[in-house]
């Protein structure tokens, strides 16, 4: 009986350490689905507050700025990396960076392309 309790406790601890990659992937897919459906205002609602505030130019709304950027389709998720409250979601047509806030995952950067020997260059970022 004691061995069974130790095994169950070990499994519970291991399950608690599992990294949730599905949630950031769903957020990235939803973000791109909204953009593809021309629901830019709703897509802005998925951005981190600081990102949404920084995106628009003078006299422009967040939705107008997203529409003007013309982000391409995200495509299928090819990989997800999560470290603490940060995540990177690579899609066939985009790379996004997300942060987990108290209300869930939000997009901090999108339209990101790797730059040789430098950080990513992103169309949308904070």
């Amino acid at each position: 009986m004691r061995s069974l309790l130790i095994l169950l406790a070990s499994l519970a601890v291991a399950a608690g350490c599992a990294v949730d990659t599905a949630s950031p992937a769903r957020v990235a897919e939803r973000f791109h689905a909204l953009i593809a459906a021309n629901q830019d205002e709703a897509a802005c609602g998925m951005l981190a507050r600081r990102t949404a505030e920084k995106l628009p130019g003078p006299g422009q709304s967040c939705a107008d700025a997203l529409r003007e950027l013309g982000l391409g389709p995200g495509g299928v998720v090819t990989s997800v990396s999560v470290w603490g409250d940060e995540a990177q979601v690579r899609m066939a047509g985009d790379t996004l960076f997300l942060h987990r806030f108290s209300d869930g995952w939000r997009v901090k950067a999108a339209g990101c392309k790797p730059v040789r020997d430098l950080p990513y260059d992103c169309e949308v970022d904070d």
Side-chain angles (χ1 to χ4, degrees), residues 4-18:
L4 179 60
L5 289 175
I6 292 172
L7 175 63
L8 289 175
S10 298
L11 290 174
V13 169
C17 295

Side-chain angles (χ1 to χ4, degrees), residues 3-106:
S3 297
L4 179 60
L5 289 175
I6 292 172
L7 175 63
L8 289 175
S10 298
L11 290 174
V13 169
C17 295
V19 175
D20 173 21
T21 58
S23 295
R26 280 193 302 271
V27 169
E29 290 170 329
R30 177 82 175 132
F31 178 76
H32 270 286
L34 289 169
I35 289 173
N38 295 316
Q39 295 181 6
D40 302 304
E41 191 66 41
C44 281
M46 298 187 72
L47 296 173
R49 183 177 49 89
R50 198 164 104 180
T51 303
E53 290 170 355
K54 184 179 173 188
L55 180 63
Q60 192 179 42
S61 72
C62 176
D64 291 337
L66 268 182
R67 198 172 305 112
E68 189 175 290
L69 286 173
L71 294 176
V76 299
V77 172
T78 58
S79 72
V80 179
S81 299
V82 176
W83 53 101
D85 289 334
E86 304 295 326
Q88 178 190 57
V89 179
R90 291 182 183 186
M91 303 177 82
D94 193 6
T95 298
L96 297 92
F97 293 89
L98 295 86
H99 181 83
R100 182 178 27 220
F101 292 91
S102 59
D103 63 344
W105 289 98
R106 295 197 172 264

Side-chain angles (χ1 to χ4, degrees), residues 113-121:
K113 306 251 183 282
V115 178
R116 190 173 161 200
D117 298 328
L118 295 172
Y120 279 78
D121 180 32

